[in-house]
Amino acid sequence: RLHKTIASSDWSQTLTQAQTDDPIIKMLDMNNPMTDGRCLCGLCVMDMIARIANDVRDVPRRKVLLFVGSNIIVQTGTAPMNNGLSCDKLVRDSREALFDALGASGMTVHSIDPQGVASVGPATRATVPNGIENRDGAALRGQLTQERDDFMKAQGNLGVLPDLTGGRTILNSNEPFRMVPDVLRESDNYYLLAFEPIEGTGEVRHDIQVKVARKGVDVHTARYLGPSTAAVATAAASTPTSPLERALTDLLPDASPPLGMSVAAFAGPDRGHAYVGVTLDASAFADKSGSIPLEIAVLASDARGRRVGGARQAGTIQVPPGAAGMGAFVELQTYVTLPAGDYELRAAVMNADTRAASSVFTHVTIPSFDAGSLGLSDVVLGTRENAGSLPDGAPAIPIVPTTAREFNANGSAWAFLRAYRGGDNGGAQAVSLDANVLDNRGRRARHLSLPDARFADRSADVRVPLPLKDLPPGDYVLRVDAKQGRAESFREVAFTVAPAAAPIVLTEHTPELDAALAAAAAYLQDYEHRIGAIGAEEQYEQSVPPLGGAAAGTTTPARQGINGAVVSRGAVETAGTAPTTRKTRANIMTISLGARGWVAFRDIFEVDGRPVHDREERLSRILQNVNPDSLEQARKIAVESARFNLNPETARIDRTTNVPMTALLYLRGINQSRSAFRLGRPDRVGGVNCVTLQFTEQSQPRLVRTNDGAPAEGTFWIDMASGGRVVKTEIRMQSASAPGQPVIRSQTAVTYAHVDKLDLWVPVVMDENYEVTASRQTLTGHATYSDFRVFKVSTSTDVK
């Protein structure tokens, strides 16, 4: 409906850019939105949003409005001369009505500016000549100043409603649609509700209750009390708490490095307490091989914020060589005992050597495992048998609980829970059990037959194999029902079936292969420290032969391809609209991010011999002091430059990641375990004898992300005589943006050479080949790099 409405709109009613720039139009005030009869004083936008807010006020669910536009008039001044119409009064009244409607509706407004990275000023518009009569330099500067001020004011206006309602403002992005999923997921995060009590002294405490009129939704609230003045003074004089304690007791969890948790309650050692098993996914702490000492803390608090239980323990995990980083999967087990009730459960983990700590918070409801009633424990999922992996004092269960909820269709996983029958002395009445798998619409996907539970006194173990092989990929819920006479109880757990994984190709370790991998990893580690920031000038020539033809001098692309080569959403260039060749010149800069590798940006300043902006080096100026904001500016420049890429007639190829050093990511020591390597035939590159290493990416998520999760493969040429120097790289990928879209095969080869000025081997030539498999049309690119220079980069904050 949205597309249909946009398509049916009559855009001819709007002034053209040439008309807008005409000083006569401005003198006659013909381009003033305040006097536009179609939306007088700009009120129609605020009035429309207010009507929407009032209409959905009583809708009992989360309400989100996406405002797509480049401006919204929320305030204005009084015109020096008017005929009785005062827009400032009308706008103020409309704004107050809108704010009242939004406050009562509970609706969140997000603003999305669709114009992307905008060019401001008359000199940036090729369609508007500067030679309009009476247009001199002063007039042009005045127009530039006015347009810049109007542009900044419009962007400020777009942030008013999101700031009021807790939404997000998306500006200055050529691909704003990529941020919409994150915008819609924001409602899953924490809400902070607080008030300042009237009482200035005393120990008066108030509760904040949150009620939701939606079936099946549970809302948990935790009390946070600010410390008293005396407590603050005492804390300031005391020794600062450890990172572990801060991560555990701060208002919000610390998610860096990320930490996962699952919790399950079983009947405890006595009738008044339950055993609460805690499983922590601490894989992010396995960032190096060898022994890593960890400290674990768990804290339970009741609804009034009082501590009611906890646990502390220390241990050491062993990370084998090659498994560090994303290849290691580390889960820790601990537990607490708690009486029945609702609790906030917090867990924190700290590396005792580096003092890096993180935490995760959740809520848990502990049922009363009363001997007089039927009861079920929580459901735990696991993929391996328990061979003594659980802590001392924990109930004996046959599987090791896991935090994982996604399982491969070719794998095995089990669910386990414990049933407790009611009645004195274990009860004599029979208990029936039933299990079903429900799909994401609540429909029964599979019924699971359970054997009769064998009770020992009051409890019986229930183990359910998940039918992963029999379920299509998707999201499911396992529901187990128990019935004893008229008493009923059930438990549910969600899980996901992933598509069957491709066969894993293992690295066949030999002394020669291990030596080459180790030498290359050491070379790249030193290389990263020496890079800092390197700039170069790129000369890039692209060629697209006509559909069904071949361009002279081009080579046939390889059957596989690289580097984010995916078909993008959006318009495809039609036949005859793009030239056969295009030559560009650009500044390209590579920045070292230390342990996180490096990032590269391209800024095109000349296309087919014509300048596209002044030759001041925007990238080098922006990146002199690297921080998250400067990197985002550089990314915008790179996206802006990508518009000069040619495309075949039958598809559009996303090449914003085609930078020369991408392939080296797969050879870094921290990433080698993500791919399978094998030795190829010896080869010579530029007179240098090389060992060739061929790789195939295995791990998820991929280092180069595509919508279909396509793996990369390729080859490295290594000069072992010079300590593992990388002389050439080749990376290939085959990917499609979505089912039914054209598949793109691509290949990028980069050759390195020594540059005396830097005393480094750097990329000097890059050759690209892309092929649209359906039409067999190809695109080739050839880039050369020169004028290398080194910049000093000051990293003022952690770059993420």
Side-chain angles (χ1 to χ4, degrees):
R1 291 199 299 269
L2 178 61
H3 287 180
K4 183 178 180 181
T5 300
I6 294 173
S8 64
S9 299
D10 185 5
W11 304 106
S12 65
Q13 300 300 315
T14 304
L15 294 177
T16 66
Q17 188 63 61
Q19 291 171 329
T20 301
D21 280 357
D22 194 321
I24 302 299
I25 298 292
K26 179 177 180 61
M27 184 178 65
L28 297 177
D29 205 28
M30 296 174 61
N31 192 36
N32 186 353
M34 294 299 176
T35 59
D36 189 338
R38 296 170 300 171
C39 186
L40 199 61
C41 299
L43 300 179
C44 61
V45 178
M46 286 197 294
D47 291 346
M48 173 63 74
I49 298 176
R51 288 199 298 271
I52 294 172
N54 288 325
D55 288 343
V56 302
R57 176 184 299 179
D58 297 326
V59 176
R61 64 178 60 205
R62 180 72 172 165
K63 290 154 285 191
V64 176
L65 180 127
L66 303 182
F67 174 80
V68 183
S70 298
N71 193 6
I72 175 173
I73 297 174
V74 293
Q75 62 180 353
T76 185
T78 303
M81 299 180 60
N82 62 73
N83 56 358
L85 172 66
S86 180
C87 277
D88 60 335
K89 174 69 165 59
L90 296 175
V91 169
R92 183 173 63 252
D93 292 343
S94 179
R95 182 179 68 243
E96 291 176 358
L98 171 60
F99 285 7
D100 289 342
L102 290 174
S105 70
M107 184 169 68
T108 301
V109 179
H110 303 276
S111 292
I112 303 174
D113 185 357
Q115 67 180 333
V117 180
S119 298
V120 179
T124 65
R125 296 192 285 272
T127 59
V128 180
N130 291 335
I132 295 177
E133 185 177 358
N134 299 324
R135 177 75 64 94
D136 57 15
L140 288 173
R141 287 193 298 272
Q143 184 177 351
L144 172 61
T145 300
Q146 183 63 47
E147 288 190 20
R148 183 177 59 220
D149 292 345
D150 291 343
F151 179 77
M152 298 302 296
K153 181 180 178 181
Q155 291 206 332
N157 291 342
L158 289 176
V160 171
L161 299 186
D163 291 345
L164 178 71
T165 61
R168 184 189 292 193
T169 306
I170 299 175
L171 304 170
N172 303 322
S173 172
N174 285 343
E175 297 182 319
F177 61 87
R178 296 190 185 277
M179 305 182 191
V180 173
D182 288 336
V183 166
L184 298 180
R185 281 195 293 267
E186 284 183 354
S187 60
D188 296 333
N189 294 326
Y190 285 85
Y191 287 82
L192 300 181
L193 305 177
F195 64 90
E196 183 177 0
I198 298 175
E199 301 84 359
T201 59
E203 295 299 325
V204 178
R205 295 290 182 262
H206 300 278
D207 288 328
I208 297 177
Q209 294 183 346
V210 180
K211 298 182 179 179
V212 180
R214 189 174 182 183
K215 184 179 179 181
V217 174
D218 295 324
V219 176
H220 301 276
T221 59
R223 169 175 290 190
Y224 176 83
L225 303 178
S228 64
T229 304
V232 171
T234 303
S238 63
T239 303
T241 57
S242 70
L244 181 69
E245 187 68 23
R246 288 197 298 271
L248 193 68
T249 59
D250 278 351
L251 179 60
L252 293 175
D254 183 351
S256 56
L259 188 67
M261 176 168 62
S262 65
V263 180
F266 292 81
D270 57 66
R271 293 189 177 184
H273 291 80
Y275 165 92
V276 183
V278 179
T279 303
L280 298 173
D281 177 5
S283 302
F285 286 86
D287 54 356
K288 65 177 183 178
S289 59
S291 299
I292 301 178
L294 297 180
E295 296 181 17
I296 306 169
V298 176
L299 171 65
S301 56
D302 63 14
R304 300 191 63 82
R306 297 173 299 196
R307 298 190 180 195
V308 294
R312 296 238 177 187
Q313 65 187 64
T316 301
I317 61 173
Q318 297 292 334
V319 181
M326 301 192 69
F329 184 57
V330 176
E331 290 194 321
L332 311 173
Q333 308 286 339
T334 187
Y335 71 95
V336 293
T337 56
L338 296 170
D342 292 326
Y343 301 95
E344 183 187 51
L345 202 61
R346 301 179 169 207
V349 176
M350 182 180 73
N351 184 319
D353 286 339
T354 65
R355 311 292 285 175
S358 64
S359 57
V360 60
F361 303 167
T362 190
H363 286 82
V364 60
T365 298
I366 309 299
S368 175
F369 294 104
D370 188 351
S373 60
L374 174 68
L376 294 174
S377 72
D378 288 320
V379 183
V380 298
L381 300 181
T383 58
R384 58 192 178 98
E385 302 285 340
N386 178 19
S389 301
L390 301 183
D392 293 339
I397 62 177
I399 63 174
V400 178
T402 181
T403 59
R405 292 297 181 266
E406 181 173 316
F407 305 100
N408 190 275
N410 290 336
S412 298
W414 299 271
F416 175 82
L417 72 161
R418 189 159 282 157
Y420 305 95
R421 59 184 177 182
D424 295 335
N425 299 321
Q429 199 167 14
V431 176
S432 62
L433 297 169
D434 190 55
N436 291 283
V437 176
L438 311 177
D439 64 15
N440 56 9
R441 296 185 179 181
R443 300 171 302 190
R444 188 167 75 174
R446 189 168 180 83
H447 177 262
L448 305 177
S449 299
L450 298 180
D452 293 336
R454 297 183 178 180
F455 282 87
D457 293 329
R458 186 182 168 231
S459 65
D461 289 353
V462 181
R463 181 169 175 173
V464 184
L466 297 183
L468 303 177
K469 296 181 176 63
D470 301 328
L471 296 172
D475 299 326
Y476 298 92
V477 169
L478 172 68
R479 177 182 172 116
V480 179
D481 292 90
K483 188 172 183 180
Q484 184 183 26
R486 295 184 177 181
E488 296 181 355
S489 183
F490 74 92
R491 288 289 183 268
E492 293 179 332
V493 65
F495 67 96
T496 299
V497 178
I504 299 296
V505 179
L506 300 178
T507 299
E508 298 181 2
H509 290 279
T510 64
E512 295 81 2
L513 176 59
D514 290 345
L517 289 173
Y523 169 77
L524 288 181
Q525 185 175 9
D526 179 68
Y527 194 70
E528 291 167 8
H529 291 305
R530 298 183 62 192
I531 278 182
I534 295 180
E537 181 177 309
E538 177 189 69
Q539 297 194 43
Y540 185 38
E541 182 173 354
Q542 306 168 63
S543 177
V544 182
L547 188 62
T554 61
T555 57
T556 302
R559 302 296 296 176
Q560 304 289 329
I562 111 178
N563 224 8
V566 298
V567 180
S568 298
R569 297 185 182 94
V572 176
E573 294 187 25
T574 57
T577 61
T580 302
T581 62
R582 176 170 291 168
K583 295 180 180 180
T584 60
R585 295 173 65 198
N587 292 313
I588 188 165
M589 179 170 285
T590 301
I591 305 295
S592 173
L593 299 181
R596 290 181 293 275
W598 49 81
V599 62
F601 302 100
R602 175 183 289 106
D603 182 15
I604 292 179
F605 60 80
E606 183 181 288
V607 178
D608 292 331
R610 298 188 304 273
V612 294
H613 63 72
D614 60 54
R615 283 209 53 181
E616 289 185 289
E617 296 193 13
R618 297 188 295 177
L619 282 178
S620 61
R621 286 188 285 107
I622 289 174
L623 298 174
Q624 288 298 308
N625 184 32
V626 177
N627 55 60
D629 183 61
S630 64
L631 286 180
E632 182 58 30
Q633 293 179 57
R635 289 189 184 97
K636 291 174 183 175
I637 292 175
V639 172
E640 177 189 354
S641 296
R643 74 182 189 271
F644 298 110
N645 287 335
L646 291 183
N647 285 288
E649 300 167 17
T650 54
R652 184 181 177 189
I653 301 173
D654 183 357
R655 288 178 287 160
T656 57
T657 58
N658 64 333
V659 289
M661 294 171 61
T662 300
L664 296 183
L665 294 173
Y666 298 87
L667 194 57
R668 299 177 69 220
I670 195 173
N671 291 332
Q672 286 184 4
S673 62
R674 299 174 50 84
S675 301
F677 288 86
R678 61 189 181 277
L679 283 173
R681 294 181 179 179
D683 198 1
R684 287 175 62 86
V685 178
V688 178
N689 292 323
C690 297
V691 170
T692 60
L693 294 178
Q694 299 175 356
F695 78 93
T696 302
E697 188 178 17
Q698 301 289 327
S699 297
Q700 295 270 15
R702 308 301 190 191
L703 287 179
V704 174
R705 305 293 180 87
T706 61
N707 288 335
D708 58 356
E713 63 179 31
T715 306
F716 298 102
W717 284 258
I718 309 297
D719 178 9
M720 293 296 292
S722 299
R725 176 189 299 144
V726 180
V727 177
K728 182 179 177 181
T729 67
E730 182 179 280
I731 183 172
R732 302 181 296 275
M733 187 175 288
Q734 179 171 300
S735 177
S737 64
Q741 295 294 321
V743 174
I744 305 295
R745 294 191 183 113
S746 58
Q747 170 183 296
T748 297
V750 178
T751 303
Y752 289 69
H754 185 264
V755 174
D756 295 336
K757 181 179 178 180
L758 306 181
D759 191 24
L760 280 174
W761 281 63
V762 293
V764 292
V765 177
M766 180 176 71
D767 288 295
E768 298 177 278
N769 290 285
Y770 300 87
E771 179 188 27
V772 182
T773 57
S775 64
R776 309 292 295 177
Q777 193 173 21
T778 62
L779 180 150
T780 62
H782 176 76
T784 59
Y785 301 91
S786 60
D787 190 19
F788 290 92
R789 57 266 195 207
V790 177
F791 296 90
K792 284 189 176 181
V793 174
S794 170
T795 303
S796 62
T797 187
D798 185 29
V799 180
K800 297 181 179 179

